[in-house]
Amino acid sequence: LAGSENGDVIRQLEYRISRLEGVLRLNKMITESGGKIFASNGKKADFDATVAQCKEVGGSIATPKNPGENDAILYFVKYFNTYAYLGIKQSLIPGKFQLLNGAQLSYTNWYSNEPSGKGEE
């Protein structure tokens, strides 16, 4: 495409994306933090299905890396009045947790004495 035509296409795409994001925000299906978009349909699913569905749409299960991202996940927990899966798993060392890929956590925000391994964390 010629330079101005290319610019017009980009502006049209940006406008359409903005409108779609607006609709999803109105329907409480997305929120944003630090340039990342967090999305949920509010439906219950098991952990493996959730990981697979995130991957299928080009994303990943949420793993908070700072307080803003933690708040973005908490937004869905409060809105849908349910828990949320995180991209975190227990390591081979009891009481220690890591990212799903085995990397060390760089951010945690656990309640006192949690995670305890005794039910809902």
Side-chain angles (χ1 to χ4, degrees):
L1 296 172
S4 66
E5 290 177 15
N6 196 16
D8 289 343
V9 169
I10 290 171
R11 280 188 290 283
Q12 288 172 2
L13 289 172
E14 288 173 338
Y15 175 73
R16 291 186 71 190
I17 289 169
S18 175
R19 289 183 58 200
L20 290 169
E21 286 180 349
V23 169
L24 291 172
R25 277 191 187 89
L26 283 173
N27 289 318
K28 309 290 187 202
M29 296 179 78
I30 66 169
T31 190
E32 187 176 347
S33 177
K36 292 182 182 177
I37 294 177
F38 294 80
S40 177
N41 60 13
K43 295 180 182 176
K44 294 186 187 262
D46 67 45
F47 182 77
D48 292 330
T50 303
V51 170
Q53 188 172 26
C54 289
K55 187 176 182 178
E56 183 180 313
V57 298
S60 63
I61 193 163
T63 306
K65 293 191 169 78
N66 58 55
E69 292 179 9
N70 194 70
D71 289 345
I73 297 164
L74 188 58
Y75 165 84
F76 291 118
V77 169
K78 290 179 177 180
Y79 181 74
F80 292 112
N81 192 31
T82 190
Y83 58 86
Y85 292 123
L86 301 176
I88 298 170
K89 66 180 180 178
Q90 189 163 339
S91 72
L92 297 176
I93 302 167
K96 298 288 182 182
F97 287 76
Q98 62 191 22
L99 300 177
L100 294 180
N101 66 7
Q104 186 176 348
L105 295 177
S106 61
Y107 169 80
T108 61
N109 187 27
W110 306 117
Y111 284 121
S112 181
N113 300 315
E114 294 292 352
S116 64
K118 299 176 183 174
E120 294 182 9
E121 305 295 352

